[in-house]
Amino acid sequence: GDLMSVLSRIESIQSELSNSEKKLFDYIKKNSEKVPSMTASQLAQATGISAPTVVRFAKKTGFSSLTDLKIQLSAESGSRQTHEEIIGYADVALNESFHDITAKLSHNAQVTMHETADLLEEQVMLAAADLLKTRNRIFVCGIGASSLIAQDIQQKWTRLGKVVIFETDYNSLLPQLIKHEKECLLWAVSNSGQTPEILHLAEFTKEMGIPVLSLTRFGSNSLSKLADVPLQVSRPKEANMRSAATNSIIAHLLAVDVLFYVFLSKNEQLAQNIYESRQAIADYRHKYL
């Protein structure tokens, strides 16, 4: 098609665009040849807006990602970018060679990492770090693949001396929340942000006046809406073979890691706990193993 279709698609929701998004749209209209080879950070610098705003703009205007917008723009403006430079998620078929499976999955993981890094916002991370600082008891919940993320959270914050309880059983979680309501928070992990069990727990916790920190994929979802601090990560294109589950796990692990280091940089005295726990484990191994 001609250049109109990407631009007219954006034009059609122009009334919903914020001022900074309008700036970006103007820039894309004037520079449709070079935009496909620019990163979110470069586009942000060129237009004087933030990288997360660039990534959100692509999703708000109906593309699955910034990469998706760039591919379509490139195809339409007849840009001379090779597809490799801007390729988005590659789907893995059943009869692929080992080499192709490895190349595609590693490529998809990198796209996810870049998109998540561009989406994470400093203000939200700092708000999450502040919230975690004020509470000594963290209840973390997530089911399915999200339980892997919950366990990662539990390992990391336990080493900092926090009490972290990984619990998704309603019957054992509620009495504990009631008993410790002044000192606890619920950290709810759900990629879709719609997992019924997790939503119910978060709603109940919120009603008790206990703060909720959520970790979900990008976009409008029920869990993010009710959380006091909603963390969001990149939303991989859903691949047929569920390789997208791998990507969402990678995205969530990256977000937890970033938050961990942001938290540490704000609470350096807690870093001492990590060295002490490491030393204790080393001593134990030396003595008993």
Side-chain angles (χ1 to χ4, degrees):
D2 65 328
L3 188 56
M4 268 315 285
S5 58
V6 168
L7 298 179
S8 58
R9 181 157 150 188
I10 302 172
E11 196 91 54
S12 68
I13 65 151
Q14 200 167 0
S15 58
E16 293 169 40
L17 298 180
S18 65
N19 287 339
S20 38
E21 290 169 336
K22 286 193 175 106
K23 251 189 248 174
L24 178 57
F25 182 36
D26 287 338
Y27 184 83
I28 294 172
K29 278 195 284 202
K30 294 189 183 89
N31 303 279
S32 57
E33 288 282 329
K34 68 174 186 201
V35 165
S37 57
M38 294 172 75
T39 63
S41 310
Q42 288 167 336
L43 283 166
Q45 276 173 339
T47 50
I49 65 181
S50 74
T53 304
V54 175
V55 179
R56 277 200 301 268
F57 169 84
K59 309 229 173 182
K60 188 169 173 180
T61 51
F63 297 90
S64 63
S65 63
L66 178 60
T67 307
D68 180 32
L69 187 156
K70 293 193 295 185
I71 288 172
Q72 299 202 30
L73 191 60
S74 167
E76 290 173 2
S77 61
S79 301
R80 276 157 291 288
Q81 268 81 32
T82 64
H83 190 59
E84 254 50 60
E85 273 179 55
I86 51 171
I87 189 170
Y89 287 98
D91 217 344
V92 181
L94 273 180
N95 51 359
E96 306 237 16
S97 69
F98 170 75
H99 174 266
D100 285 349
I101 291 172
T102 312
K104 282 184 178 180
L105 290 181
S106 123
H107 168 80
N108 289 352
Q110 288 166 44
V111 173
T112 297
M113 289 290 225
H114 287 303
E115 287 199 349
T116 297
D118 282 335
L119 259 178
L120 295 177
E121 289 191 72
E122 187 175 10
Q123 285 324 104
V124 183
M125 282 287 169
L126 290 172
D130 285 347
L131 185 53
L132 287 161
K133 183 181 182 170
T134 60
R135 303 280 157 156
N136 289 326
R137 196 173 281 267
I138 303 165
F139 291 95
V140 57
C141 62
I143 58 179
S146 295
S147 68
L148 299 171
I149 312 304
Q151 286 172 36
D152 183 49
I153 290 167
Q154 185 183 32
Q155 280 203 329
K156 286 189 167 75
W157 269 268
T158 302
R159 288 170 60 205
L160 294 180
K162 297 271 184 194
V163 178
V164 189
I165 297 111
F166 170 39
E167 185 60 81
T168 43
D169 176 5
Y170 202 66
N171 294 316
S172 44
L173 180 59
L174 300 188
Q176 294 185 72
L177 286 173
I178 291 163
K179 187 173 159 199
H180 298 285
E181 72 184 285
K182 293 283 173 284
E183 52 164 343
C184 71
L185 79 91
L186 183 74
W187 187 340
V189 185
S190 161
N191 188 48
S192 67
Q194 301 294 359
T195 312
E197 298 90 324
I198 303 299
L199 262 178
H200 285 306
L201 287 173
E203 279 163 2
F204 182 84
T205 307
K206 181 100 177 158
E207 275 166 28
M208 288 176 64
I210 294 169
V212 176
L213 172 58
S214 69
L215 180 57
T216 69
R217 67 186 179 192
F218 176 84
S220 175
N221 63 67
S222 307
L223 185 55
S224 286
K225 284 198 187 95
L226 73 83
D228 294 84
V229 181
L231 291 175
Q232 295 197 329
V233 301
S234 164
R235 180 176 191 151
K237 181 173 83 65
E238 290 297 331
N240 315 339
M241 304 301 300
R242 284 298 280 151
S243 69
T246 310
N247 291 310
S248 59
I249 290 169
I250 288 168
H252 287 286
L253 289 173
L254 176 63
V256 169
D257 250 7
V258 170
L259 179 51
F260 185 68
Y261 284 99
V262 167
F263 183 82
L264 264 187
S265 68
K266 296 249 156 247
N267 301 278
E268 283 180 50
Q269 73 289 355
L270 291 179
Q272 194 52 39
N273 293 345
I274 291 186
Y275 303 122
E276 285 167 9
S277 69
R278 211 177 267 162
Q279 194 51 51
I281 290 167
D283 293 346
Y284 172 84
R285 286 180 176 154
H286 182 70
K287 194 168 170 185
Y288 296 105
L289 303 180

